[in-house]
Structures are given as C-alpha cells and as structure tokens.
C-alpha cells in the first residue's frame, strides 16, 4: 500500500510475466474510467470559457490598475514560487497508488498516506515561504528581477511566496478528488477559484491596494478551493480529511512511507516548473518588460489549452494504476491509439492558437504591445509535443517509470535554459518557447515513447 517499495511485484512486474499476462480489449477493460475521462473533458470544456474569461479580465484589471510594468511584475512575482516544486509535490502519485490498492474494508492505508502527504506539503509550504521572505527582507529581489523590478518589488514577491506556501497543503483536496475519479468536480471547483481570484483582484483594484495584494489574490482563491475540495473528498471517503490536514503537525498521527513515489514526482514537478517558469526570468534580463508582457499574454492562453489536454490524461493515471494491481496492462496498440488521439487534440488546439491567439492576446494587453503569430505558433508546437507525450507519461507512473521520467525532465530543464538565453536574445518572446519545444522533444518525448512501446 502506501508502504510498498519500488521492488515489490506491484511496482515492477517481471518482463516475462508482463508479456504473458492475457489482456482484454481496451474498451471492455477501461469503460468505467474512460467514462470518468469523458466527464473530465466535458467539465473542462464547460469550465474553460469561465476560466479563460476570468483570466482575460484579470489581465485587463491589472493592466488598468497597475499599468504594463506593474502587470509584468505581478505575473513574474506569482511565477517565481512555482520554480520551487509545483502542485502537490508528488503526493498525488502516492494517493492514487494507495486508493488503487485500497479495499472498502480497510481504509487505514489511505488515511496514513493522506497524513504523510499533508505533512510533506505543510513542511514544504513553510520552506517555500521562507525562501521568498528572507531575500525580500534583505532587499535581494529588486536586483534579481532586473528591468522588471519597481518600487514594492520585494514586498510583492514575499507575499506571493507566503501565500503560495500557505495554500500548498490544501491542494491535497484536488489530488484526492482526482484519485477518486471525481476530476470533473475538481474542475468545477477550479473554475470557481478563478472567479473568486477575479473578485479578490477587483476588490484590490477598487480600494487601491498595494501591488502585493494583486499577487496574493490567486493563491488565496486556491486555498479556499482546496478547503472545499477536502470537505467533498471527506464525504466520499468518510474520513475527517480537513482535520487530518490541519493537524499534520501532531506526530501521534500514524503515517505511511511514500517517498519512493513522491521523490521522483517531486523531481518531475520541479524540473517542469524550472524549465517553463525561467522563461519570464530570462526575458526580464535579456529583453524588456514589453517582452515579458507579450510572453505572459501568450502563456495565459496556453495554460487552459494544455490544461484541457492534461485533464483528459489524468484519468489514465488512475486507470493504469488499477491495471497494474490487476496485472492487466494495456498493449502497445492501446498506447499507440491513445497517443494518436492526444496528438490529434494537440493539432486541433494548436491550429486555433495560431488563428485566434494574436488577436486575443493583443486585446488582453490593450494593444499596447503586439502578440505575434510567431509566438502563438511556438506555443502551438509546445502544446502538440506535450499532448503527444501524455499517454505514455501516465503509463510510466510506477516507481520505475517515475524515476525514468524524473531523470529525463531534469536533463530537459537544463537544456531548455541553455537554449532559451540565446534564442531570447535573437528573437525575443518566442525564443524560450522554441527552446522548450526542442528540449522537450529530444530529451523527454522520444525516449519516453521508445521506453513505453518497448515495455508494453
């Protein structure tokens, strides 16, 4: 269960056993979870306009209230905390694994996994807050942010780090809903969080709050959504999850070992965050605030699009975890079919990116800068290669597969940064995105496809 090591059979099935285990057709084997995936996609399509509208209005409100330099600073400040491992720090992997092995008669392993995960997130959140606050007290963030910095920079970054760290333990609620095949509910809650963030931003604009309040609004909304998700998951599992999360500091609560899953996921999250969040930092040093603003406008359109692809892929993680327990792994043909479906989705959304992105992005920033088709084409290419990788990345989520992905992502993050700096100098905002496409394709996508197809 949560204490299972990477060397046990559920994590590493012998190759001969993997090849000889009879498999049933994909549709028969996965119908319930594919229906859950369908619910997730429909929920994402329904909530996507809400989330997108909230993000567009958020950008408009910030540009109106703070100006273009203020908007560039806030987007950079809220991005910086995510350079430290993003999301649930890999705890979701342990929760999915525990629930896949769970029996209705024995929920204690799930409880112990939740306690371990909440404790990990609480300590990590405190560390992230310290990482932001201490340099701010020393006045170090203003020179670190280069040309994007302005008066109030240190306070803005410190508040962003503190709010992000505080909200981190509550992200466990969304992870639990996803592991329980209630991803569609988590999506509706996420849309509600986007609206709440906009409301908080409007309040900050009306009362002429300091720029730090604008940086904190999104994280405070995430925290509120996490609390509601924990309450909903508590009812589904019949466990007092909110009190478990709030009381993680009590050592008397029994916990399980989850490091063999969370450690590689932590590296994957950290590597991905660094690879993509350093783009703005690179631009802030080698370009000007306008380039950061242009990139941010394109990234805000990219985020919900890749989110739609990701939501379709997340149920596969749960599916593959259950299949590993049942010794009923998908065939190479199943993986190839899923990969082609995700690739087709990436092509469709990438086409919309190139056709509509420049006009929408330019509107977001009041036409003060031009969001070009080249930037949107680069984001479309990044969307495609990541969509192509989703099914195999969800399949490679046992302990061995996660370690493989962690190594590839780490190498990719370094190569991405090395490519982004000269490309940003040469062509501006599209440069770091092109660097990401090249690095991801060569270091992550191709090796993952080869490994997954050889093991299936």
């Amino acid at each position: 269960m949560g204490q299972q090591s990477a060397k046990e059979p559920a994590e590493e099935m012998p190759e001969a056993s993997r090849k000889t285990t009879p498999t049933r057709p994909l549709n028969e084997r996965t119908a319930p979870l594919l229906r859950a995936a369908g619910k997730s996609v429909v929920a994402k399509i329904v909530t996507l306009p809400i989330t997108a509208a909230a993000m567009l209005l958020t950008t408009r409100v910030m540009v109106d209230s703070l100006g273009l330099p203020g908007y560039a600073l806030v987007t950079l400040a809220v991005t910086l905390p995510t350079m430290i491992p993003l999301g649930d720090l890999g705890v979701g992997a342990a929760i999915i694994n525990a629930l896949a092995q769970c029996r209705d008669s024995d929920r204690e392993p799930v409880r112990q996994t939740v306690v371990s995960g909440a404790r990990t997130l609480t300590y990590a959140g405190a560390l992230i807050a310290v990482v932001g606050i201490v340099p701010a007290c020393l006045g170090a963030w203003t020179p670190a942010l280069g040309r994007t910095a302005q008066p109030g920079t240190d306070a803005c970054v410190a508040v962003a780090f503190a709010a992000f760290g505080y909200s981190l333990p509550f992200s466990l609620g969304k992870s639990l809903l996803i592991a329980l095949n209630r991803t569609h509910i988590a999506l509706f809650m996420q849309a509600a969080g986007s609206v709440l963030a906009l409301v908080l931003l409007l309040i900050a604009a009306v009362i002429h709050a300091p720029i730090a309040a604008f940086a904190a609004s999104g994280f405070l909304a995430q925290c509120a959504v996490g609390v509601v998700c924990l309450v909903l998951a508590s009812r589904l599992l019949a466990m007092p999850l909110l009190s478990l999360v709030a009381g993680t500091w009590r050592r008397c609560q029994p916990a399980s070992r989850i490091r063999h899953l969370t450690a590689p996921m932590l590296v994957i999250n950290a590597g991905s965050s660094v690879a993509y969040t350093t783009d703005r930092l690179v631009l802030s040093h080698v370009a000007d605030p306008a380039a950061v603003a242009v990139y941010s406008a394109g990234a805000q359109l990219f985020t919900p699009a890749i989110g739609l692809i990701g939501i379709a892929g997340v149920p596969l993680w749960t599916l593959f975890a259950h299949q590993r327990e049942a010794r009923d792994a998908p065939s190479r043909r199943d993986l190839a079919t899923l990969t082609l479906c995700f690739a087709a989705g990436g092509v469709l959304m990438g086409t919309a990116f190139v056709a509509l992105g420049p006009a929408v992005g330019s509107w977001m920033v009041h036409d003060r800068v031009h969001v070009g088709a080249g930037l949107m084409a680069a984001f479309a290419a990044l969307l495609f290669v990541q969509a192509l990788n989703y099914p195999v990345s969800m399949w490679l989520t046992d302990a061995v597969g996660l370690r493989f992905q962690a190594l590839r992502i780490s190498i990719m993050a370094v190569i991405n940064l090395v490519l982004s700096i000269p490309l940003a100098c040469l062509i501006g905002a599209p440069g770091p995105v092109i660097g990401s496409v090249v690095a991801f394709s060569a270091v992550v996508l191709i090796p993952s496809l080869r490994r997954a197809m050889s093991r299936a």
Side-chain angles (χ1 to χ4, degrees):
M1 308 232 172
Q3 297 177 344
Q4 188 172 10
S5 72
K7 296 183 180 179
E8 293 177 339
E11 294 298 341
E12 289 190 48
M13 192 189 308
E15 190 66 23
S17 174
R18 198 185 301 272
K19 295 296 183 183
T20 58
T21 301
T23 59
R24 292 172 284 121
L26 180 63
N27 289 338
E28 177 185 345
R29 189 168 65 242
T30 65
L33 287 174
L34 290 181
R35 284 196 295 269
K39 287 182 181 179
S40 300
V41 173
V42 170
K44 186 66 177 180
I45 292 173
V46 171
T47 58
L48 186 59
I50 299 173
T51 303
M55 292 178 66
L56 292 174
L57 290 172
T58 294
T59 299
R60 294 275 295 193
V61 169
M62 282 198 287
V63 172
D64 281 338
S65 301
L66 306 175
L68 200 62
Y71 166 67
L73 173 60
V74 170
T75 57
L76 183 56
V78 300
T79 301
L80 286 172
T82 65
M83 295 175 67
I84 300 174
L86 183 64
D88 63 4
L89 287 90
V91 172
I95 290 176
I96 290 175
N97 183 67
L99 285 172
Q101 301 175 11
C102 176
R103 301 295 178 265
D104 291 336
S105 58
D106 184 14
R107 295 292 181 92
E108 184 59 25
V110 176
R111 181 192 298 270
Q112 293 180 7
T113 301
V114 169
V115 171
S116 295
R119 192 169 290 163
T120 299
L121 291 169
T122 299
Y123 294 159
L127 177 61
I128 288 172
V130 170
V131 168
I133 292 172
V134 171
C137 293
L138 300 175
W141 285 117
T142 297
L145 298 192
R147 301 176 185 176
T148 307
Q150 58 182 273
T153 292
D154 288 292
C156 183
V157 175
V159 168
F161 271 86
F164 178 76
Y166 182 77
S167 68
L168 200 56
F170 299 101
S171 67
L172 197 61
K174 181 180 176 182
S175 299
L176 281 159
L177 289 178
I178 291 173
L180 289 165
N181 291 325
R182 301 298 194 279
T183 306
H184 57 291
I185 297 177
L187 287 171
F188 284 117
M189 294 307 306
Q190 183 178 342
S194 298
V195 175
L196 178 58
L198 176 60
V199 170
L200 294 176
L201 204 68
L202 287 169
I203 293 173
V206 168
I207 65 176
H208 302 289
I211 194 171
F214 290 83
S217 60
F219 296 128
L220 294 178
Q222 289 178 18
C223 184
V225 167
V227 170
V228 176
C229 288
L230 280 171
V231 172
L232 295 175
S234 296
R235 295 182 178 181
L236 293 170
L237 287 173
M239 290 182 186
L241 297 175
L242 191 57
S243 63
L244 285 177
V245 172
T248 52
W249 54 272
R250 295 197 300 268
R251 284 288 180 180
C252 60
Q253 294 192 93
S256 62
R257 178 183 175 273
I258 61 176
R259 190 177 301 116
H260 65 291
L261 295 171
T262 59
M265 274 303 302
L266 180 63
V267 175
I268 292 170
N269 289 335
S272 299
S273 299
V274 170
Y276 302 124
T277 57
T278 51
D279 290 349
R280 288 185 179 91
L281 193 59
V282 167
L283 288 170
S284 72
H285 281 276
V286 304
D288 52 25
V292 178
V294 168
Y295 177 95
S296 298
Q300 283 192 293
L301 296 175
F302 174 81
T303 299
I306 194 61
L308 180 59
I309 298 290
I311 285 303
V314 165
L316 296 179
W317 187 342
T318 305
L319 162 68
F320 294 147
H322 282 278
Q323 288 179 349
R324 278 195 295 271
E325 291 302 309
R327 305 296 195 272
D328 192 17
S331 67
R332 186 179 305 175
R333 181 178 179 181
D334 296 335
L335 282 176
T337 300
L338 289 169
T339 300
L340 289 175
C341 290
F342 274 74
V347 169
L348 288 175
M349 284 195 285
T351 302
F353 251 55
V354 177
L356 305 175
V360 176
S362 297
W363 176 85
M364 288 168 59
V365 292
H366 287 252
D367 290 317
R368 297 186 185 181
V369 289
H370 177 62
V371 179
L375 174 65
M376 302 314 299
F379 272 118
L382 183 59
L383 181 71
F384 172 75
V385 296
Q386 291 195 359
L388 197 62
N389 187 63
Y390 253 102
V392 295
S393 68
M394 293 297 99
W395 191 73
L396 294 169
T397 47
D398 59 352
V400 177
L402 288 174
R403 289 198 297 270
F404 172 81
Q405 293 193 71
L407 176 61
R408 308 310 302 183
I409 291 290
S410 300
I411 298 172
M412 184 273 293
V414 175
I415 295 177
N416 177 69
L417 181 60
V418 171
L419 292 175
S420 294
I421 295 174
L423 287 172
C425 292
L426 289 173
I427 57 178
V433 187
I434 295 173
S436 298
V437 173
V438 174
F440 186 87
S441 300
V443 181
V444 178
L445 174 61
I446 295 174
S448 294
L449 285 171
R450 185 186 301 116
R451 182 180 179 88
M453 293 305 173
S454 65
R455 291 178 61 187

